[in-house]
Amino acid sequence: MGRVFVAGSINMDVVATADRHPKVGETVAGNAVNYFPGGKGANQAVASAKLGAPTTLIGRLGRDAFGQQLRTFLAAQAVDLAHVKDTAEAHTGMAIITVADADNTIVVVPGANALVSSEDVTAVALAKGDVAVSQFEIPQATIVAFFRRARAAGATTILNPAPAIPFGKDLLDLVDILILNETELGLLTHMELRDSDDPARFVAAASALQGGSRIICITLGKRGVLALIDGQASVIAGRAVKAVDTTGAGDCFVGALASQLANGTAIRRALEYANAAASICVQRMGAAPSMPTAAEVAALLST
């Protein structure tokens, strides 16, 4: 069995709930405020670990109360923290999240995440069969160094380019599996896309990001997942559930897919598994705490 290595952000999510999102310049009354462990790197690592894959997180925390709380939480989820450093130069990363009617808005303040370095990610001992995962809440130069290290070791690389910002061919060429939603796909390909668009439109947009044997997965919420594998489009239908908080759904999908690939599962079956895991995640509040267990996903798939 391979291992999963996630290089990414670790945040404390400050989540305010309200009946609706405020318009620009408007103030609305909230219902509650909660503090949840989050950050795309931490979320993906927790999802992978809870689904049974040996998982190492590479990142940084501030030497503050949030940092201590996050380290305790992540250790309790069986995430290997040997490559998570404490730094005095910056505070622990934070995300300010508003949840209304099951949709969210997010403002991320990187803090210590911006200091994750090439030296941090090249110190890990990757091997053939491992899976290396990253996202855009740490510096891109760090991700390039991480994926070069992974490629040299024969590991599979997964990039979740979120939040969406432009990136160069030097990084894209190192990506085996690209996982993104319709908003990120639209921004990266300069196309106006909506989750209700015809699948052919997504395929046309994603073709600009293909190359070699790269797999592209487009997560479409309740519509499921559209994947381009060997140039052929595969649709994994969504599952009808009552969503409570979609904050960690994409990260759950990424972590679940990584866990299955590390376990040797074929890509299409791994996509179905990840889709099921994400459907459980959205029925709970919070990001990292909402990640399902392997038993929960197995029970859902058995029905």
Side-chain angles (χ1 to χ4, degrees):
M1 180 179 185
R3 302 162 297 167
V4 175
F5 292 84
V6 182
S9 57
I10 312 169
N11 293 335
M12 182 63 79
D13 292 349
V14 183
V15 182
T17 61
D19 293 333
R20 64 178 179 84
H21 292 289
K23 299 175 183 177
V24 175
E26 181 188 21
T27 299
V28 300
N31 300 321
V33 63
N34 296 284
Y35 297 86
F36 294 114
K40 297 188 74 62
N43 296 342
Q44 293 167 7
V46 169
S48 173
K50 289 184 73 172
L51 293 170
T55 304
T56 296
L57 179 58
I58 308 158
R60 294 208 182 198
L61 292 166
R63 290 179 180 167
D64 49 34
F66 280 164
Q68 294 170 11
Q69 292 168 27
L70 288 166
R71 186 175 284 278
T72 299
F73 169 80
L74 291 165
Q77 312 309 308
V79 176
D80 177 6
L81 302 178
H83 293 278
V84 173
K85 296 180 179 179
D86 292 330
T87 179
E89 290 88 350
H91 61 79
T92 296
M94 291 182 63
I96 312 301
I97 302 171
T98 302
V99 176
D101 195 26
D103 284 324
N104 60 68
T105 62
I106 307 174
V107 176
V108 176
V109 186
N113 297 312
L115 301 179
V116 181
S117 69
S118 299
E119 290 74 19
D120 293 341
V121 297
T122 53
V124 297
L126 288 149
K128 186 175 178 60
D130 291 341
V131 180
V133 181
S134 199
Q135 0 56 39
F136 281 173
E137 289 183 345
I138 61 174
Q140 283 193 25
T142 300
I143 301 171
V144 170
F146 181 46
F147 282 0
R148 282 179 178 158
R149 173 75 182 85
R151 276 287 178 86
T156 298
T157 59
I158 298 178
L159 178 64
N160 175 215
I165 53 177
F167 63 100
K169 191 172 184 296
D170 59 333
L171 175 53
L172 184 61
D173 285 346
L174 295 168
V175 176
D176 294 317
I177 303 174
L178 189 68
I179 303 175
L180 68 179
N181 63 25
E182 80 284 350
T183 302
E184 293 147 6
L185 178 62
L187 287 170
L188 294 174
T189 59
H190 309 291
M191 292 181 65
E192 189 73 29
L193 297 172
R194 296 180 296 274
D195 61 4
S196 58
D197 285 346
D198 187 272
R201 187 164 168 76
F202 295 119
V203 172
S207 62
L209 300 174
Q210 279 195 296
S213 58
R214 183 176 306 116
I215 295 169
I216 299 180
C217 303
I218 307 160
T219 55
L220 299 171
K222 62 184 179 183
R223 291 184 69 188
V225 181
L226 174 63
L228 293 181
I229 305 169
D230 296 326
Q232 300 296 314
S234 295
V235 177
I236 293 88
R239 293 175 174 268
V241 299
K242 182 175 177 54
V244 173
D245 181 7
T246 60
T247 304
D251 295 331
C252 180
F253 182 90
V254 173
L257 184 69
S259 75
Q260 293 305 293
L261 295 177
N263 196 35
T265 305
I267 182 64
R268 286 180 176 83
R269 191 170 184 85
L271 288 167
E272 292 171 358
Y273 186 97
N275 190 49
S279 76
I280 298 172
C281 169
V282 299
Q283 298 179 67
R284 304 166 176 168
M285 283 294 296
S290 70
M291 302 303 166
T293 64
E296 289 173 319
V297 179
L300 178 60
L301 289 173
S302 70
T303 60

